[in-house]
Amino acid sequence: EDKVVQSPLSLVVHEGDTVTLNCSYEVTNFRSLLWYKQEKKAPTFLFMLTSSGIEKKSGRLSSILDKKELSSILNITATQTGDSAIYLCAVDKTTDSWGKLQFGAGTQVVVTP
Amino acid sequence: KAGVTQTPRYLIKTRGQQVTLSCSPISGHRSVSWYQQTPGQGLQFLFEYFSETQRNKGNFPGRFSGRQFSNSRSEMNVSTLELGDSALYLCASKGQPNTEAFFGQGTRLTVV
């Protein structure tokens, strides 16, 4: 059975701290891994990773995929209160129709002033 | 361009009733997927429609159904509502394979 596991499930940090979120997956026919941020309702897209070892960056956020370890990390540096959200990891498979994503449980991040 | 639009935003229904939710994808996107999000189960895939055909279905009972129209708008229907169907229902559209899915704001369904 395919699995997508995120850790930790929740964490609280102070503004300015660095946060590292983990996503591990056990899926057959892996195609890509995606990160989303969910603040209230609509998850918003952060990164899509298909190749191992290539870091993607956007401002203070970055992510990298390790296909050998079947995992990915999402880093947030110099955290701000606006980074408080649920961060979702999802996997896309080559054998599935391209509209289907399998999500992990998410990591709830709270950034305190 | 306009994003994914879901209506209504909130619904309260009684057990045993049925409900229909609507999703209008981003213009030009033909893939529309539906997800159920609950605190205990997270985001779970319900089904995907592409060019009016269901091409993938998650592990949900037959009470959950959907359809897609020629303009790519999609509806999902839940019949004989149960308390456990209370959830945030999210719709996502996608324009091409190997691209990200764009999500709507969701419909918050409460079954009492």
Side-chain angles (χ1 to χ4, degrees), chain A residues 31 34 36 38 41-43 45 48 88 96-101 103, chain B residues 10 33 35 37 43 48 50 55-56 94 96 98-101 104-105:
Chain A
R31 173 158 52 198
L34 297 93
Y36 283 85
Q38 186 177 28
K41 289 193 175 175
F45 172 75
M48 174 186 276
L88 297 162
D96 279 333
S97 57
W98 40 270
K100 178 180 178 181
L101 295 172
F103 282 85
Chain B
Y10 302 91
S33 299
Y35 295 84
Q37 188 174 29
L43 261 157
E48 182 207 358
F50 183 89
R55 59 178 193 180
N56 214 329
K94 207 167 176 180
Q96 298 288 337
N98 298 319
T99 60
E100 69 270 29
Q105 290 290 324

Side-chain angles (χ1 to χ4, degrees), chain A residues 34-48:
Chain A
L34 297 93
W35 285 97
Y36 283 85
K37 176 183 181 183
Q38 186 177 28
E39 291 179 81
K40 290 188 178 168
K41 289 193 175 175
T44 55
F45 172 75
L46 295 174
F47 299 110
M48 174 186 276

Side-chain angles (χ1 to χ4, degrees), chain A residues 37-83:
Chain A
K37 176 183 181 183
Q38 186 177 28
E39 291 179 81
K40 290 188 178 168
K41 289 193 175 175
T44 55
F45 172 75
L46 295 174
F47 299 110
M48 174 186 276
L49 305 153
T50 55
S51 301
S52 196
I54 297 175
E55 186 181 42
K56 292 218 172 176
K57 293 192 78 169
S58 177
R60 297 176 294 103
L61 278 67
S62 65
S63 184
I64 194 162
L65 176 67
D66 186 338
K67 280 185 169 180
K68 189 176 174 185
E69 296 296 324
L70 304 183
S71 66
S72 173
I73 60 170
L74 175 69
N75 279 318
I76 310 173
T77 59
T79 51
Q80 302 171 356
T81 54
D83 295 325

